[in-house]
């Protein structure tokens, strides 16, 4: 039988993932804002049938930068990898001894938050091909998309 600690830890994990997905996109947006790159943030982009399908098959939030092509490539690279900074508080709590297996609720929330700190494959693509993306954006006005799945 599943104990109440495991159920509460599972709920903490789900809540941390839900909040972390949105904060992941905010991390991209913060770097773009400080670098003065135009961007837009959309929540639950696209449409789907039903709430469950919307939550499982669509990104919860998406940041679409609109660079002019004159920005340095490092700005897009830093923005793409900015979600890695979400791991800092979890590692700090772990080093301080607050994240242990003795507290499954905190451990569950930490695991969910760390999952959101990982850049997505699209984020890595932007980081590795930022120069090409900037060259293309100088030629066209199509926004580049980054999304948390």
């Amino acid at each position: 039988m599943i104990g109440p600690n495991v159920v509460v830890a599972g709920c903490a994990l789900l809540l941390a993932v839900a909040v972390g997905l949105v904060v992941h996109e905010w991390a991209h947006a913060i770097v773009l804002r400080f670098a003065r790159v135009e961007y837009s943030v959309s929540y639950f982009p696209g449409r789907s049938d039903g709430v469950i399908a919307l939550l499982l098959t669509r990104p919860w939030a998406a940041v679409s930068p609109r660079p002019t092509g004159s920005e340095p490539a490092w700005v897009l690279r830093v923005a793409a990898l900015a979600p890695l900074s979400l791991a800092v508080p979890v590692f700090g709590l772990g080093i301080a001894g607050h994240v242990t297996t003795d507290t499954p609720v905190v451990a569950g929330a930490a695991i969910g938050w760390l999952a959101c700190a990982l850049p997505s494959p699209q984020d890595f693509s932007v980081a590795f091909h930022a120069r090409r993306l900037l060259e293309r954006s100088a030629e066209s006005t199509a926004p580049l998309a980054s999304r948390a799945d």
Side-chain angles (χ1 to χ4, degrees):
M1 188 164 170
I2 297 176
N5 282 346
V6 176
V7 173
V8 174
C11 292
L13 177 107
L14 290 175
L15 181 64
V17 168
V19 172
L21 286 174
V22 175
V23 174
H24 173 109
E25 293 302 318
W26 286 352
H28 295 305
I30 288 170
V31 173
L32 293 172
R33 176 174 287 254
F34 283 128
R36 295 192 172 127
V37 176
E38 291 291 323
Y39 66 94
S40 63
V41 179
S42 58
Y43 297 98
F44 298 108
R47 295 196 175 167
S48 186
D49 297 332
V51 174
I52 299 298
L54 177 67
L55 294 176
L56 296 178
T57 62
R58 301 280 185 211
W60 290 21
V63 173
S64 300
R66 293 184 301 270
T68 61
S70 63
E71 297 86 354
W74 68 266
V75 169
L76 288 182
R77 288 185 177 114
V78 170
L81 299 176
L84 285 171
S85 65
L86 298 177
V88 172
V90 175
F91 288 137
L93 289 172
I95 290 170
H98 297 293
V99 180
T100 64
T101 56
D102 296 335
T103 55
V105 174
V106 175
I111 290 167
W113 191 259
L114 284 175
C116 296
L118 295 173
S120 69
Q122 284 182 322
D123 296 339
F124 281 116
S125 178
V126 169
F128 289 123
H129 303 291
R131 187 160 315 281
R132 279 191 255 169
L133 294 171
L134 285 171
E135 290 169 359
R136 263 193 269 157
S137 68
E139 298 169 3
S140 71
T141 58
L144 307 172
S146 169
R147 47 178 245 221
D149 289 328

